[in-house]
């Protein structure tokens, strides 16, 4: 599967962040803020801290592409009415 330039950069950023913090996983979080003009907010946490990303609108799709390419693997998933928590690990770690 061909990954986009941004997906490759995201993968590299995740690997570096995980290695530097000496942890084995990262968490994709999505939360509905419940009112407009704010809507669904998406971010990635490593060891409880949000990491800065170039773009956040397509995080979930980008993570699905990395998972399909077998670069990351889903560890756990929890979904509530307004929130999503998905833990991933780098596949080669």
């Amino acid at each position: 599967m061909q990954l986009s330039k941004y997906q490759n950069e995201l993968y590299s950023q995740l690997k570096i962040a995980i290695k530097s913090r000496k942890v084995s996983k990262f968490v994709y979080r999505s939360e509905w803020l419940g009112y407009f003009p704010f809507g669904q907010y998406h971010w990635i946490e490593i060891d409880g801290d949000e990491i800065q990303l170039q773009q956040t609108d397509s995080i979930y799709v980008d993570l699905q592409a990395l998972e399909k390419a077998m670069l990351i693997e889903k560890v756990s998933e929890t979904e509530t009415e307004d929130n999503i928590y998905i833990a991933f690990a780098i596949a080669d770690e």
Side-chain angles (χ1 to χ4, degrees):
M1 172 183 191
Q2 185 71 21
L3 296 174
S4 71
K5 179 181 176 187
Y6 177 72
Q7 289 166 343
N8 281 310
E9 289 171 2
L10 175 62
Y11 177 65
S12 294
Q13 185 179 7
L14 291 169
K15 282 183 69 168
I16 290 167
I18 284 174
K19 192 174 265 189
S20 70
R21 293 175 189 238
K22 298 179 180 160
V23 295
S24 62
K25 65 181 180 179
F26 64 93
V27 177
Y28 162 78
R29 295 195 54 192
S30 178
E31 182 177 304
W32 170 248
L33 299 179
Y35 55 91
F36 289 105
F38 308 104
Q40 200 78 17
Y41 182 62
H42 309 271
W43 71 97
I44 292 177
E45 289 182 356
I46 297 179
D47 201 24
D49 295 323
E50 181 178 354
I51 63 168
Q52 297 300 313
L53 301 173
Q54 293 176 354
Q55 60 188 51
T56 58
D57 293 337
S58 64
I59 295 174
Y60 186 67
V61 172
D62 295 329
L63 291 174
Q64 286 178 319
L66 294 176
E67 184 179 23
K68 188 173 182 179
M70 296 187 293
L71 296 172
I72 63 174
E73 55 191 6
K74 193 179 295 183
V75 176
S76 66
E77 182 172 3
T78 304
E79 190 169 338
T80 65
E81 185 176 319
D82 296 331
N83 304 311
I84 299 171
Y85 307 88
I86 305 173
F88 290 96
I90 301 293
D92 66 351
E93 296 296 310

